[in-house]
């Protein structure tokens, strides 16, 4: 491509389609381009780029064919219960408004409480009474709150969050819980800024998130996993992993394996899994530059998929997902990942999974009810069945030593 | 006709009719997904952001005073989602050239790349370059190039002056051209270096 910009007086007319120009402008442009090499080159480049952008394949990923119906239900109820959050991203200059649903809005009442202190006590009592009518008890001690909340963050916690959310919704018909996965850092940011109600994280929130309240829910066991064809590699020491992740070990034959280049699949620095890997296993940050043999991928399932399909690949991820994908899970310093070795902290590549809320959830709100449910026996049984270690079974000392975090920016 | 249909659906949705909003989702989710995919250059993230865009639209629907402006408003939310994503991740700009050269086995014997690999690399360069154009220019550029809208239609959609649209498209195209040329040069230099190193 040529490097000269078009003449400034023609720049705007040069980019437009013929149909967007008047016949006079079109004729004038054509005449000018014939004689101006810079504009000629620019127009050719613009046309070429436009053609090639139009020829790009359609997106490989499609959104869900339908919005999750339950996601839209009872939105207004939750908004009444949760603190009102503003979000500048919803519109260029608008905040997220309360939806004008059929249920009565308590917002005016709340304002009235602040202004009319004389009748405050009466109104508060009324308000609590009204709210309590939205919370029912089923199955013994399970508080069922209605409304809609969203959570996102750690992809390592995603399977558990999703399963427990489903379990809660099965029992509480009026509850709608949307679970998404991104990264621990995104989850923390999103809950701090009020985009979501619960932020899932593998790491402790950095001090800059001053409003977040931690609800530890389980321990997740991570593993170093290899492409299934690397059958002969059963154990890696910390020194060997440091060598791999610093770039001093390039080929599996150096570790007694086949003559195959080592291909690394890491997570971005926003990932709690990566922070845990660096702090619990490597003892230092990953320093190997990205390149043909070192790639970052965004989520746990993407690591699993990449390691499964790439000869010579190594990655680190939730052990359950690694096993679901049939990856070769290796021992670290001759300790295989297992709940018992995690509980005793002999196997050290694990982390406490946290659910963060912005402030203490409003009593009897869906967020509050769900967080309580998460700590209950049903949810902890689900955690165990999915390969997590119940938080109730974790020893205090081990938990403290695994409270990983990242430095404040 | 479609404006009247949209307006009617938006009014129904504002009255609490979820089916009406679901219809709006079905009408526009693919278009928003394509828009976001070109805005950020990452298909999988675009699909997620599409979902988020509609959820935020639902949450904020009562604040939409002109139901006829729903689609433009939706694009504004999507654009903000794209901006937020790029601000937060900043990963787009941290990818090294080497990450484009992921499969050494596909380098042919003369040191060049196979045709299909070259095509994929070029597409990736193009996506990346487009996603690096200033966001105000990029919004108009994507609507103009990808969706094939006229500058007047873009002006109406985004509720901005037609001249502004024209300026943004012009500046966006030149910016895209400059960025693409730079990326192309850097990548070619990288490949030459690799070949010299005897790959």
């Amino acid at each position: 491509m040529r490097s000269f910009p078009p003449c400034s007086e023609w720049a705007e007319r040069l980019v437009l389609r013929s149909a967007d120009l008047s016949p006079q402008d079109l004729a004038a442009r054509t005449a000018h381009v014939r004689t101006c090499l810079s504009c000629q080159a620019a127009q050719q480049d613009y046309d070429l780029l436009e053609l090639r952008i139009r020829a790009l394949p359609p997106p490989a990923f499609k959104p869900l064919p339908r919005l999750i119906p339950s996601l839209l239900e009872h939105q207004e109820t939750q908004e009444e219960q949760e603190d009102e959050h503003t979000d500048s991203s919803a519109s260029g200059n608008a905040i997220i408004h309360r939806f004008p649903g059929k249920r009565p809005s308590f917002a005016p009442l709340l304002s009235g409480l602040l202004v009319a202190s004389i009748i405050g006590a009466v109104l508060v009592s009324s308000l609590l009474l009204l709210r309590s009518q939205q919370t029912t008890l089923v199955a013994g001690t399970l508080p069922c709150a209605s409304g809609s909340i969203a959570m996102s963050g750690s992809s390592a916690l995603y399977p558990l969050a999703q399963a427990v959310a489903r379990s809660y919704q099965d029992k509480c018909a009026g509850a709608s819980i949307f679970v998404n996965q991104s990264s621990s850092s995104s989850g923390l940011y999103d809950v701090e800024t009020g985009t979501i109600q619960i932020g899932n994280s593998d790491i402790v929130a950095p001090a800059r998130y001053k409003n977040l309240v931690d609800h530890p829910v389980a321990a997740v066991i991570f593993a170093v996993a290899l492409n299934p064809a690397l059958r002969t590699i059963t154990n890696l020491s910390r020194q060997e992993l440091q060598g791999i992740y610093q770039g001093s070990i390039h080929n599996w034959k150096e570790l007694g394996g086949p003559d195959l280049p080592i291909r690394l699949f890491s997570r971005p620095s926003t990932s709690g899994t990566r922070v845990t890997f660096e702090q619990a296993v490597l003892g230092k940050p990953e320093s190997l530059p990205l390149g043909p043999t070192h790639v970052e991928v965004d989520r746990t399932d993407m690591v699993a998929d990449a390691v499964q399909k790439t000869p010579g690949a190594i990655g680190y991820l939730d052990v359950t997902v690694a096993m679901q994908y049939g990856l070769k899970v290796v021992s670290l310093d001759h300790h295989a990942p297992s709940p018992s070795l995690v509980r005793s902290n002999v196997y050290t590549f694990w982390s406490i999974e946290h659910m963060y809320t912005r402030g203490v959830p409003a009593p009897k709100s869906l967020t509050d009810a769900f967080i309580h449910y998460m700590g209950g026996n049903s949810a902890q049984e689900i955690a165990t069945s999915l390969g997590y270690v119940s938080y109730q079974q974790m020893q205090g000392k081990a938990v403290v030593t695994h409270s990983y975090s990242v430095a404040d920016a | 006709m479609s404006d009247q249909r949209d307006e009617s659906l938006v009014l129904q949705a504002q009255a609490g009719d979820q089916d009406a909003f679901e219809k709006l989702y079905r009408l526009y989710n693919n278009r928003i997904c394509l828009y976001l995919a070109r805005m950020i250059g990452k298909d999988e993230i675009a699909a997620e952001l599409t979902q988020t865009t509609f959820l935020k639209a639902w949450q904020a629907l009562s604040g939409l005073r002109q139901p006829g402006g729903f689609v433009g408003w939706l694009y504004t939310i999507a654009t903000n989602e794209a901006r937020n994503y790029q601000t937060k991740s900043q990963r787009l700009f941290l990818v090294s050239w080497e990450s484009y050269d992921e499969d050494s086995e596909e380098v042919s014997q003369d040191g060049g790349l196979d045709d299909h690999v070259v095509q994929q690399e070029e597409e990736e360069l193009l996506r990346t370059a487009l996603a690096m154009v200033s966001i105000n220019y990029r919004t108009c550029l994507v609507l103009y190039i990808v969706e094939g809208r006229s500058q007047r239609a873009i002006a109406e959609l985004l509720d901005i002056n037609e001249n502004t649209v024209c300026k943004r498209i012009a500046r966006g195209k030149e910016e895209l051209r400059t960025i693409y040329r730079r990326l192309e040069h850097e990548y070619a230099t990288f490949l030459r270096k690799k070949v010299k190193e005897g790959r």
Side-chain angles (χ1 to χ4, degrees), chain A residues 230 232-233 240 244 249-262 312:
Chain A
L230 292 164
T232 55
I233 309 283
E240 287 168 337
I244 290 172
I249 298 175
H250 304 279
N251 194 302
W252 287 110
K253 70 181 176 188
E254 297 172 61
L255 298 170
D259 182 5
L260 203 58
I262 299 176

Side-chain angles (χ1 to χ4, degrees), chain A residues 2 17 46 50 64 90 298, chain B residues 25 77 91 144 173-174:
Chain A
R2 303 283 293 274
R17 297 186 198 104
Y46 296 157
E50 189 164 335
L64 293 172
D298 282 337
Chain B
Y25 176 76
I77 298 174
R91 267 176 273 152
Y144 190 75
K173 276 199 173 181
E174 184 56 25

Side-chain angles (χ1 to χ4, degrees), chain B residues 135-146:
Chain B
I135 195 156
N136 283 341
Y137 302 162
R138 199 187 329 150
T139 303
C140 292
L141 207 55
V142 171
L143 292 170
Y144 190 75
I145 295 177
V146 178

Side-chain angles (χ1 to χ4, degrees), chain A residues 31-186:
Chain A
H32 173 75
V33 169
R34 270 198 208 110
T35 57
C36 176
L37 289 178
S38 296
C39 287
Q40 214 173 73
Q43 194 175 37
Q44 282 171 3
D45 286 352
Y46 296 157
D47 290 347
L48 181 65
L49 285 169
E50 189 164 335
L51 274 174
R52 288 173 53 193
I53 287 174
R54 283 205 188 122
L56 284 173
F61 291 78
K62 299 277 183 196
L64 293 172
R66 295 193 63 197
L67 276 181
I68 302 165
S70 62
L71 191 61
L72 302 179
E73 290 173 6
H74 307 291
Q75 187 82 30
E76 65 276 25
T77 308
Q78 178 59 23
E79 287 177 359
E80 287 155 6
Q81 293 177 343
E82 299 290 323
D83 290 337
E84 184 170 323
H85 301 314
T86 59
D87 189 338
S88 60
S89 72
S91 173
N93 52 6
I95 62 168
I96 292 181
H97 297 270
R98 292 175 188 282
F99 190 78
K102 292 163 191 165
R103 292 166 184 269
S105 170
F106 298 135
L109 282 181
L110 287 169
S111 304
L113 280 171
L114 294 172
V115 178
S117 58
I118 297 172
I119 57 170
V122 177
L123 282 176
V124 166
S125 303
S126 305
L127 186 63
L128 289 175
L129 181 61
L130 283 168
R131 280 189 170 180
S132 69
Q133 289 169 352
Q134 294 167 1
T135 308
T136 53
L137 287 179
V138 297
T141 58
L142 172 64
C144 265
S146 59
S148 174
I149 57 172
M151 72 173 88
S152 185
S154 161
S155 56
L157 183 51
Y158 177 73
L160 176 59
Q162 193 183 39
V164 176
R166 195 176 296 136
S167 163
Y168 186 88
Q169 289 170 106
D170 286 347
K171 291 171 180 166
C172 301
S176 173
I177 303 168
F178 175 62
V179 188
N180 200 359
Q181 56 179 326
S182 51
S183 68
S184 296
S185 297
S186 298

